[in-house]
Amino acid sequence: MDELSRGFFQALELIFSADPALYEIIFLSLRVTGLALLFSTLIGVPVGATLGLSRVRARGFITVLLYTGMGLPPVVVGLFVYLMLSRSGPFGALGWLFTPSAMVTAQIIIAFPLVSGLTMAAVQGVDPALRVQVRSLGATRAQEVWAVLREARLGVVAAIVAAFGGIISEVGAVMLVGGNIEGKTRVLTTAIVLNTRTGEFSLAIALGVILLGLAFVANVAMLRLQGKE
Amino acid sequence: MRDLKPIYETENLKKEYAGRIVVDVERLAIGAGEMFALVGPSGAGKSTLLRLLNFLETPTQGEIIYQGQSVNGNLSIETRRQVTTVFQRPVLLRASVRDNVAYGLGLRGQRADGRVEEMLTRVGLAALADAPAQKLSGGEMQRVALARALVIEPRVLLLDEPTANLDPYNVGLIEEIVREQNRARGTTIVLVTHNVFQAKRLAQRVGLMLSGRVVEIGDAQQFFDAAQDPRTTAFVRGEMVY
């Protein structure tokens, strides 16, 4: 208990001391996760919306795949991306292994099913009578789709926030494909693992507090968006 | 239909769902500017007929002639936008009351100018203009739906059980707005209801629908007082005929 409280105060000190190494870790975390989130949103939202709106027969199967994907263990994704990017792998020529690009790739794979699966659920959750209603008011096909997406917007925001929470906090994939190289691929989660192993508890706690803070800010932002409704 | 020019004419109109014939109407003409009520028990096919008249469904057989033109398959968006429906259960957008009322204007690329405020006053919701539509009572929601339909100045307003499950106060308000829209502004109105009293209060002409077929159509007075078909007499009296 003593360790924890002492660690906590040292952590606060560290956070406010503007330690450049610490900030580098924070910024890399945000950069990797931010980019991964951006790409998975750009692909995942349209895919989820299309699936939610369509009545294709294959949707049942695709839904199962997406929902399975939502529960993918990050470490397995890391292994897969590692094999793809390793020198003898099909994408080895890219030279991405142990770089932030590899970490972004792995996080996209983790975040995409979350974004698209939850977007699909949000779109399906819109009252089906709404489409008939807006068509009756004179909506074209495109305007009808837009109306459904607008109604689902809170669910889409929740999907993106859930994906953010999922990838900012995962450690297995970034550890495997990034390698936790100091000043290059060390992010918040991998740094926590390292510092815990080496007994640098206060640093580990500081990083944990920051990680929690980021998740907190993301959720506050989402709640505020929902509160505006 | 007296001397009114028909806005709708249908010929052998049939609609099937999964092999079941839901609508099977030999001939139906609705006059421009009239208020026509279609009564009948639930499941008689009234709502399906309204969806056909709103071009939301295509007939399995037969055709609908709207303003002298067959609409089967080839209907311009401008023509389609002349007709709208207020459904039994209003589905409002997750937005303010004002934005809901302005919705149809936005679809047409028109600005939500003074018409929206005017319409909100007409349905008695000016004070709630900025309230989220989802928080309204059932009666208020239905008035928003009515305002949203009227603000686009439709030529034909279809009403599908618009006041079912509403309290007498809201029923009265809605009926008065609908009556005024028909009398003063000449909007053609087709009202579907299982409530014969409402049909009696509002319509100039009434038809009875039973199991997909139109049993009888007549001027309101004749329909209620001197029906030709015994089933009409029974339905009007509130005796079960189905």
Side-chain angles (χ1 to χ4, degrees):
Chain A
M1 201 61 226
D2 205 35
E3 186 85 66
L4 192 67
S5 56
R6 205 182 38 183
F8 186 76
F9 285 111
Q10 282 184 4
L12 287 181
E13 246 181 77
L14 255 173
I15 291 167
F16 293 107
S17 70
D19 176 46
L22 178 69
Y23 280 85
E24 208 180 289
I25 291 173
I26 297 171
F27 286 132
L28 184 64
S29 272
L30 287 176
R31 206 179 96 211
V32 167
T33 295
L35 276 173
L37 195 63
L38 178 71
F39 286 119
S40 46
T41 299
L42 288 179
I43 318 164
V45 171
V47 167
T50 309
L51 286 170
L53 287 164
S54 68
R55 291 170 205 129
V56 286
R57 201 158 297 170
R59 196 175 68 185
F61 181 65
I62 298 168
T63 306
V64 172
L65 281 186
L66 275 184
Y67 285 177
T68 309
M70 285 163 75
L72 274 183
V75 69
V76 175
V77 174
L79 172 66
F80 171 77
V81 173
Y82 186 98
L83 293 173
M84 289 290 129
L85 295 178
S86 69
R87 200 163 300 168
S88 54
F91 300 102
L94 290 170
W96 280 7
L97 198 59
F98 305 129
T99 69
S101 300
M103 297 152 79
V104 171
T105 307
Q107 292 202 339
I108 289 173
I109 295 174
I110 298 166
F112 168 78
L114 280 166
V115 173
S116 53
L118 294 177
T119 297
M120 179 181 76
V123 168
Q124 285 174 325
V126 174
D127 189 340
L130 179 90
R131 298 182 71 165
V132 182
Q133 190 103 218
V134 298
R135 211 182 315 153
S136 155
L137 286 164
T140 60
R141 186 61 76 178
Q143 287 172 327
E144 188 185 317
V145 167
W146 181 239
V148 174
L149 292 182
R150 273 186 60 89
E151 285 304 289
R153 63 188 182 269
L154 289 184
V156 175
V157 171
I160 296 168
V161 173
F164 173 80
I167 56 178
I168 189 89
S169 61
E170 72 81 24
V171 58
V174 284
M175 182 74 100
L176 275 183
V177 303
N180 191 26
I181 303 166
E182 190 176 3
K184 208 181 147 209
T185 60
R186 182 162 299 166
V187 289
L188 284 168
T189 52
T190 55
I192 290 173
V193 172
L194 181 76
N195 287 303
T196 307
R197 284 219 190 106
T198 54
E200 301 268 0
F201 295 120
S202 56
L203 190 53
I205 292 169
L207 294 164
V209 167
I210 291 162
L211 197 52
L212 273 175
L214 287 175
F216 182 76
V217 168
N219 281 291
V220 167
M222 179 177 75
L223 282 175
R224 284 198 58 143
L225 268 173
Q226 293 186 335
K228 274 192 190 158
E229 297 301 316
Chain B
M1 204 178 20
R2 290 166 300 224
D3 49 358
L4 293 169
K5 218 175 124 214
I7 193 160
Y8 282 110
E9 290 169 281
T10 72
E11 204 70 58
N12 289 322
L13 194 62
K14 273 198 185 132
K15 181 67 187 176
E16 270 182 43
Y17 287 118
R20 203 168 69 89
I21 298 171
V22 183
V23 167
D24 184 3
V25 175
E26 246 176 63
R27 228 189 80 76
L28 177 69
I30 292 164
E34 77 165 327
M35 171 120 62
F36 176 69
L38 209 48
V39 298
S42 51
K46 307 186 297 293
S47 297
T48 308
L49 184 58
L50 270 201
R51 281 204 297 278
L52 287 163
L53 295 179
N54 200 172
F55 323 118
L56 296 172
E57 309 250 8
T58 44
T60 315
Q61 236 183 71
E63 64 171 351
I64 298 171
I65 294 167
Y66 176 74
Q67 296 195 310
Q69 278 190 316
S70 170
V71 294
N72 287 8
N74 49 352
L75 183 70
S76 71
I77 182 80
E78 287 76 22
T79 309
R80 186 157 77 75
R81 283 177 170 171
Q82 294 177 5
V83 184
T84 190
T85 306
V86 173
F87 295 92
Q88 175 171 357
R89 188 172 63 87
V91 181
L92 301 180
L93 302 162
R94 204 182 278 278
S96 70
V97 168
R98 180 184 284 112
D99 288 348
N100 266 279
V101 174
Y103 180 70
L105 297 174
L107 292 178
R108 288 158 178 75
Q110 297 174 18
R111 280 169 47 86
D113 43 28
R115 282 178 288 176
V116 172
E117 306 300 321
E118 193 186 312
M119 194 57 67
L120 283 168
T121 309
R122 213 172 133 202
V123 299
L125 291 173
L128 290 171
D130 295 311
Q134 317 277 332
K135 300 239 161 97
L136 301 183
S137 73
E140 289 164 341
M141 279 191 176
Q142 192 58 291
R143 273 144 64 198
V144 173
L146 185 62
R148 181 173 68 173
L150 290 179
V151 79
I152 58 178
E153 295 166 27
R155 261 198 215 165
V156 181
L157 176 65
L158 307 170
L159 301 169
D160 189 357
E161 302 276 8
T163 62
N165 315 322
L166 294 191
D167 58 289
Y169 171 73
N170 274 295
V171 173
L173 274 178
I174 287 171
E175 285 188 2
E176 194 41 51
I177 295 161
V178 167
R179 188 180 290 117
E180 199 258 345
Q181 186 71 21
N182 174 254
R183 303 269 154 89
R185 301 176 198 229
T187 306
T188 308
I189 292 176
V190 183
L191 165 73
V192 153
T193 177
H194 61 259
N195 182 342
V196 286
F197 301 105
Q198 182 165 61
K200 202 169 185 172
R201 285 195 296 271
L202 291 175
Q204 293 129 25
R205 230 158 46 92
V206 185
L208 172 68
M209 222 174 154
L210 285 180
S211 0
R213 292 167 182 276
V214 173
V215 170
E216 178 170 2
I217 293 180
D219 281 346
Q221 206 198 340
Q222 181 230 319
F223 185 91
F224 289 109
D225 300 337
Q228 316 256 302
D229 196 296
R231 289 172 292 179
T232 310
T233 316
F235 189 80
V236 166
R237 282 193 192 144
E239 295 158 12
M240 304 290 274
V241 292
Y242 41 91

